[in-house]
């Protein structure tokens, strides 16, 4: 469904020889989600992304998990990014910018976003182990790279410190969720204007 001013929703379907993915989002939701990727840890992270952004998400992923998780994770990031961009439409009235430091136990992670229409990722996050359970930690960056490129957003993620790799990954998802929540919200003071002196963000 197409994005509209009073219904900022979108559905994207993406099929390749490696994955078949369907994503639906509602930017003005309550953070409810229905997620199935076949990758337990990734499902858990996507649930955090939905819950803390208040973006309703339905995500169904069928991927070549007999090879590894890479294609499923990256292509899910692509599809979510495309859906968010579609739901934003011309980005009229959005708050556009947000920045947040998020704490979880011993871990602190910062996320900052500009829904600029210009895709860029700055990633300053290091993991001390190659896996969290069976999940490759390098795929956390791959997901956010795909999300930023396809949503048309500038995204910075910085892990200040942390000892537990699960916590580091989770704070990345939660911090990005919270800045997306703020940046996608309609600014009542400029609800009918694109937040740019250029007059466009697309």
């Amino acid at each position: 469904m197409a994005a509209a001013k009073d219904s900022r929703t979108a559905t994207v379907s993406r099929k390749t020889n490696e994955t078949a993915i369907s994503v639906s989002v509602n930017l003005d939701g309550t953070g409810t989600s229905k997620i199935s990727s076949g990758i337990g840890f990734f499902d858990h992270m996507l649930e955090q992304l939905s819950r803390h952004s208040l973006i309703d998400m339905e995500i169904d992923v069928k991927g070549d998990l007999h090879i590894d998780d890479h294609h499923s994770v990256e292509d899910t990031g692509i599809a979510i990014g495309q859906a968010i961009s579609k739901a934003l439409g011309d980005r009229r009235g959005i708050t556009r910018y947000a920045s947040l430091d998020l704490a979880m136990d011993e871990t602190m992670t910062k996320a900052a976003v500009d829904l600029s229409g210009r895709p860029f990722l700055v990633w300053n996050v290091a993991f001390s182990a190659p896996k969290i359970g069976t999940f490759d930690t390098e795929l956390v960056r791959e997901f956010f790279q795909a999300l930023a490129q396809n949503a048309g957003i500038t995204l910075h993620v910085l892990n200040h410190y942390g000892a537990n790799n699960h916590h580091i990954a989770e704070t990345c998802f939660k911090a990005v969720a919270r800045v997306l929540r703020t940046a996608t919200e309609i600014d009542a003071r400029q609800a009918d204007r694109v937040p740019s002196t250029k007059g466009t963000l697309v």
Side-chain angles (χ1 to χ4, degrees):
M1 62 193 104
K5 184 176 179 181
D6 59 348
S7 178
R8 299 191 302 160
T9 61
T11 297
V12 168
S13 294
R14 188 174 191 276
K15 184 174 176 60
T16 71
N17 290 334
E18 298 165 342
T19 61
I21 298 173
S22 175
V23 171
S24 295
V25 301
N26 177 1
L27 300 185
D28 300 308
T30 59
T32 61
S33 62
K34 182 179 180 182
I35 296 168
S36 175
S37 71
I39 307 166
F41 181 78
F42 188 43
D43 285 356
H44 177 48
M45 294 298 103
L46 294 176
E47 288 165 359
Q48 305 306 316
L49 186 66
S50 173
R51 177 65 184 87
H52 295 285
S53 66
L54 297 185
I55 299 174
D56 293 346
M57 295 184 183
E58 290 190 12
I59 302 170
D60 185 71
V61 182
K62 302 290 189 296
D64 54 359
L65 299 181
H66 62 287
I67 296 176
D68 67 7
D69 297 345
H70 184 106
H71 298 141
S72 292
V73 172
E74 181 178 34
D75 288 7
T76 300
I78 291 171
I80 295 173
Q82 290 174 346
I84 289 173
S85 181
K86 186 177 178 182
L88 284 169
D90 66 1
R91 310 191 182 205
R92 187 175 303 275
I94 62 170
T95 301
R96 179 176 171 176
Y97 298 100
S99 179
L100 175 82
D101 286 308
L102 187 137
M104 180 179 180
D105 296 344
E106 87 297 344
T107 301
M108 175 81 77
T109 297
K110 181 184 190 70
V113 70
D114 174 11
L115 306 187
S116 60
R118 299 187 303 275
F120 202 89
L121 175 69
V122 175
W123 182 257
N124 195 346
V125 179
F127 294 96
S128 62
K131 288 184 180 291
I132 301 170
T134 60
F135 186 83
D136 293 332
T137 51
E138 67 181 7
L139 294 182
V140 179
R141 183 192 185 281
E142 293 301 318
F143 171 79
F144 286 113
Q145 173 71 22
L147 178 72
Q149 288 292 317
N150 289 274
I153 64 177
T154 296
L155 178 63
H156 292 235
V157 185
L158 166 65
N159 175 240
H160 295 299
Y161 44 80
N164 183 289
N165 288 298
H166 186 132
H167 292 170
I168 292 171
E170 189 163 340
T171 54
C172 291
F173 278 85
K174 286 180 173 178
V176 170
R178 291 291 300 190
V179 295
L180 282 175
R181 172 181 172 178
T182 299
T184 58
E185 286 180 343
I186 298 299
D187 182 346
R189 295 176 64 190
Q190 58 172 3
D192 294 320
R193 292 193 297 167
V194 175
S196 171
T197 55
K198 292 186 301 183
T200 181
L201 289 175
V202 294

